[in-house]
Every structure is written in C-alpha cells, then in structure tokens.
Amino acid sequence: MDIYRITKEPIDVASALVAIGDDRAGAQALFLGTVRNEFAGRASRGLYYDAYEPLAEKELRRIGDELKQDFGALHVVLIHRIGELPLGEVSVLVAVSAGHRTEAFAAAREGIDRIKSRVPIWKKEHWDDGQDAWHDDPEAFSPK
Amino acid sequence: MDIYRITKEPIDVASALVAIGDDRAGAQALFLGTVRNEFAGRASRGLYYDAYEPLAEKELRRIGDELKQDFGALHVVLIHRIGELPLGEVSVLVAVSAGHRTEAFAAAREGIDRIKSRVPIWKKEHWDDGQDAWHDDPEAFSPK
Amino acid sequence: MNSNTVTVTTLFFSFAADRMNGRRKTFDLPRGTTLGDMVHQYLEPVLGPESRNWLYSVNEEWASWDTHLENGDEIAVIPPVSGG
Amino acid sequence: MNSNTVTVTTLFFSFAADRMNGRRKTFDLPRGTTLGDMVHQYLEPVLGPESRNWLYSVNEEWASWDTHLENGDEIAVIPPVSGG
C-alpha cells in the first residue's frame, strides 16, 4: 500500500511500516527528518512548515511513482507534517520496501532529495534569539 | 542512547526510534531486513536464524562504535532477531541518528553491510518445497 | 467585471505571503492575459525580479508562462521550496 | 585428565553443527596445543579443508591460529556468516 499525505498530526511510523509490508520485500528503508536545535551554527528552538497542500500531495504521489519506476520500490509512503514543530519532532517520513537493500536505500535517499527539491513546502526557522526567518528568503534569511 | 542486542522477541521499531532521538539530529535513517518469499528465484516459506550470542552482541557494539567514528552517527541501534521467522517478519534493524541525511544514510547502509559480513549469525532457508538449507553451506546450499 | 475581464485568485506562501501582506489576493485581468504577463505586471513589482525564476501553478498543476488565464483560475506562487 | 592435558569446550553453529552432530563438544588436548593445531587435527577431518579459512573465537573473542589453548577455554567455530 502507498500513502502520500500532508498532515498537521504527528507522523505515525508504525502505520507507515504496515503500509509498505510485502512478502516479496527483503528490505525496508526509512528516513525521518527531525527538527534540529541549530541551523548553520545558529541556535534554533523549532520550525514552522507551510505547504500548498493539494499540489504538494500530487507531487508526493508523482515522486512515489518515480521511486517504483526508477528503483523497483514495491511500496512507498511519503508524509510531510506542517504547522509548528518543536525540537525533535518528525517533520517528514520516507518509507520504502524493495526486494534488496541497495534498491531500498537508493529509493529512500532519492525520495527525500526529491521532496526537498520539488514539493511546495516551506519552513520558517524560529531562532533561539526570538527572530524568525523563512528558509531561502534571499532578503531575510541570514543563518549566522 | 544506543542498543546492541540479539533477541528472540519481535523487534520493536518504536523503542529504537526513541533511543536514537536527539535534538542535535536532523536525520534518522532506519533499515529493516524482512523475511522474503524467495531467494535467488526459489520459493521460500521462512527463515531460521542462529547466533553465537555473546560474540554477536560484542560485534554489534563494535560496529556501532565504528558508525559513530566513521560517519558521525549520534546514536545507533543494532538489533538482530533469531529463531524461527515467518514471511514478512523483521529479522534485523539498523537505526541511526545524525546531523544530516548524507551521514545518516551512509551509517545505516554501512551498518547493515557490516552486520552481514562480520556478525556471527547464520540463517537457514525453509524452502517452500519442504527442504531446508543453511546459507553459505558449500555442500548443501543450491538455491535453484 | 465585464466579458473583457477575468477574475483570478492568487495564493502566496512563505516569504511571498509576507511581502504581499496576505496569503490570497484577487486580480481582475484583461481577457487574454497570460501567466507570464500577470507575474510581470502585478507580482514582480512587489515580489522582486527573482519571482520570474519561481514556479507557478494554475488550478493545482504546474503551469508555464504562456498559460492563458481564465475566469475563476486559482494561481499559486511557489517561491523556492524548503521542505524536509 | 592430568597436568599435561587441557580440556576445552567447542561450540558449533549452522552447518558446522549439523556435520559435527551437535552444538557443543569437549576435547582433551595436550598442553601447549594451539588453536591452529586443534582445528587441523580435530575439526578439519569432519568439517573439511574449508574450515581452515573460517574464523574462530576463544572465550568470546576473535582468536588467531597461534593462540595457546588453556584448560576451560571455550572455542567457537564460526563458518561464513549469513545474518541480515
């Protein structure tokens, strides 16, 4: 089973593992992005994620189809959480099953790379000093 | 926190994720090995895993230390299940947290590769036709 | 609005929403306006020249500059993404 | 057993246990016997010449051929591993 979802709720890893289960699979690879306490050396206290939800879910589905096509993934789960996330929370999950570990790792790695480069989601850093900044804002964002 | 364990009980993924949690981590990578319904094209109905437990746990710990040294992994969980495993069951878990995804993926991949090459664990294939064979037995093992 | 005008809704996210002072604006455009025209005339003055290099969608699908805007279209302005 | 003899326990796994008809055997060896001697004289005849290329442990740690075996040592025979 596949899942492609933008959600405000905590991401449930157990459900993702159930979804990708398959007797043909010898390998499952998961990637979880978690909220870190610093970015480029500047202390942070959390992240806010915004998304254009309908297009983001479409793009997650397209990426999942590519991972099956390109790497032979059997099942794919791609979930991105949005809203306010404190330190340590899971912001994104990539889970794939495949026959062997080389394909599973390649699919999971490409999955997160393609999410980060193509899916309409944006994050705002809540710096520990009280300032805020959207990532990739050429005017406001100065990590140091 | 790190966990290095040989166990007869089902592997608990949620506990592994709790163990590797760290506010310094932006990335968690997991690999799960699962029991497949075929090997090299021959239908299988399950696996039996044997281990030399004390040395296997020592070797898991050494691999974990290497993953921290070589890839900057912050926390490592390496668990291998033994005994009779039906199709679909998780036989091995590798979970690592790291600052960024490149390190996390590299550590998880090396983790499973080093387990497969060095840890004293052996698996017996229960072929679907009723025959059994230890993997890597030069006399008995003929997958086709 | 008359038959020579189309009304479109435009969605803004991330720092583009901050600069537009809102996540949603309505524009009345001359019939025949393309997405490229609209970005150039109405958005670039506020969002800056880099907005020419961003991606845009029309009705929840990626769209090119030469897309003709129709009455009721929903345009989304997609500044550089930073998910993950 | 006298003072010129040491008694060691040897553990077998996987297909090595099948060929030895058991997972644990006790051997009485002349004092001074090395791991390499023991494998050559007592195990190779049953496990075959490939057992020279396997790994061995003594008292739960990897051991080399020139390890002198002591009374009470626990040897483990490690055929090619296949975990994962």
Side-chain angles (χ1 to χ4, degrees):
Chain A
M1 202 185 108
D2 307 311
I3 303 173
Y4 304 108
R5 187 178 296 155
I6 304 295
T7 179
K8 294 185 174 64
E9 304 301 318
I11 293 175
D12 180 2
V13 177
S15 302
L17 289 172
V18 170
I20 63 171
D22 194 310
D23 284 354
R24 297 170 295 168
Q28 300 179 335
L30 276 79
F31 176 82
L32 302 175
T34 51
V35 179
R36 268 165 74 222
N37 62 8
E38 60 94 18
F39 182 84
R42 183 170 173 182
S44 175
R45 59 185 169 78
L47 290 170
Y48 173 78
Y49 283 94
D50 189 14
Y52 182 34
E53 296 187 40
L55 186 54
E57 289 194 345
K58 279 187 193 173
E59 200 65 17
L60 291 178
R61 179 175 299 276
R62 274 191 283 255
I63 291 170
D65 290 344
E66 293 168 10
L67 299 181
K68 294 180 185 185
Q69 187 77 29
D70 297 353
F71 303 100
L74 295 168
H75 303 282
V76 178
V77 175
L78 304 175
I79 302 175
H80 206 300
R81 191 171 167 195
I82 58 173
E84 292 290 353
L85 272 68
L87 299 183
E89 283 291 295
V90 175
S91 57
V92 60
L93 174 146
V94 174
V96 301
S97 52
H100 299 276
R101 66 192 187 284
T102 297
E103 299 95 295
F105 274 110
R109 175 62 200 247
E110 276 296 307
I112 184 61
D113 286 358
R114 293 180 191 186
I115 287 172
K116 288 173 93 79
S117 70
R118 285 166 39 186
V119 178
I121 299 174
W122 300 269
K123 69 179 162 220
K124 180 192 273 181
E125 200 80 42
H126 293 311
W127 299 118
D128 198 44
D129 61 17
Q131 291 194 288
D132 290 334
W134 288 104
H135 276 245
D136 290 296
D137 180 347
E139 291 180 19
F141 195 76
S142 58
K144 297 281 183 187
Chain B
M1 202 186 110
D2 307 312
I3 303 174
Y4 305 108
R5 187 178 295 155
I6 304 294
T7 179
K8 294 185 174 65
E9 303 301 317
I11 292 175
D12 181 2
V13 177
S15 301
L17 289 173
V18 170
I20 62 171
D22 193 309
D23 284 354
R24 296 170 295 167
Q28 299 179 337
L30 277 80
F31 176 82
L32 302 174
T34 51
V35 179
R36 269 165 75 222
N37 62 8
E38 60 95 18
F39 182 83
R42 183 170 173 181
S44 175
R45 58 184 169 79
L47 290 170
Y48 173 78
Y49 283 93
D50 190 14
Y52 181 34
E53 295 188 40
L55 188 54
E57 289 195 345
K58 279 187 192 173
E59 200 65 17
L60 290 178
R61 179 175 297 275
R62 273 191 283 253
I63 291 170
D65 290 344
E66 293 168 10
L67 299 181
K68 294 180 185 185
Q69 187 78 29
D70 297 353
F71 303 101
L74 295 167
H75 303 282
V76 178
V77 175
L78 305 175
I79 302 175
H80 206 300
R81 191 171 167 194
I82 59 173
E84 292 290 352
L85 272 67
L87 299 183
E89 283 292 294
V90 174
S91 57
V92 59
L93 174 145
V94 175
V96 301
S97 52
H100 298 277
R101 66 192 188 284
T102 298
E103 300 94 296
F105 274 109
R109 175 62 201 249
E110 277 295 308
I112 184 61
D113 286 358
R114 293 181 192 187
I115 287 171
K116 288 172 93 81
S117 71
R118 285 165 41 186
V119 178
I121 299 173
W122 300 269
K123 68 180 162 221
K124 180 191 273 182
E125 200 79 43
H126 294 310
W127 300 118
D128 198 44
D129 61 17
Q131 291 194 287
D132 291 334
W134 288 104
H135 276 246
D136 290 296
D137 180 348
E139 291 180 19
F141 195 75
S142 59
K144 297 282 184 184
Chain C
M1 182 186 111
N2 59 48
S3 64
N4 291 323
T5 304
V6 298
T7 302
V8 300
T9 302
T10 307
L11 305 179
F12 302 95
F13 301 92
S14 181
F15 58 91
D18 292 349
R19 287 183 206 164
M20 296 299 292
N21 272 313
R23 292 172 64 83
R24 173 187 290 262
K25 303 273 177 188
T26 299
F27 294 91
D28 294 326
L29 307 171
R31 184 171 296 283
T33 299
T34 64
L35 177 62
D37 297 335
M38 189 265 195
V39 170
H40 183 62
Q41 290 174 42
Y42 295 86
L43 304 184
E44 252 190 85
V46 184
L47 296 177
E50 69 268 22
S51 60
R52 294 239 103 189
N53 300 319
W54 298 350
L55 296 176
Y56 292 81
S57 72
V58 174
N59 300 332
E60 305 183 356
E61 203 41 82
W62 303 110
S64 60
W65 287 141
D66 57 4
T67 304
H68 279 266
L69 299 177
E70 305 292 343
N71 198 50
D73 278 354
E74 182 184 84
I75 298 160
V77 179
I78 313 288
V81 303
S82 53
Chain D
M1 183 185 109
N2 60 46
S3 63
N4 290 323
T5 305
V6 298
T7 301
V8 300
T9 301
T10 307
L11 306 179
F12 302 94
F13 301 92
S14 182
F15 58 91
D18 293 349
R19 288 184 204 163
M20 296 298 293
N21 273 313
R23 292 171 64 83
R24 173 187 290 262
K25 303 273 178 190
T26 299
F27 293 91
D28 294 326
L29 308 170
R31 185 171 294 282
T33 299
T34 64
L35 177 62
D37 298 334
M38 188 264 195
V39 170
H40 183 62
Q41 292 174 41
Y42 296 85
L43 304 184
E44 252 190 84
V46 184
L47 296 176
E50 69 269 22
S51 61
R52 293 239 104 189
N53 300 318
W54 297 350
L55 296 176
Y56 292 81
S57 72
V58 174
N59 299 332
E60 305 183 355
E61 204 41 81
W62 303 110
S64 60
W65 287 143
D66 57 4
T67 304
H68 279 266
L69 299 177
E70 305 291 344
N71 198 49
D73 278 354
E74 182 184 82
I75 298 160
V77 179
I78 313 288
V81 304
S82 53

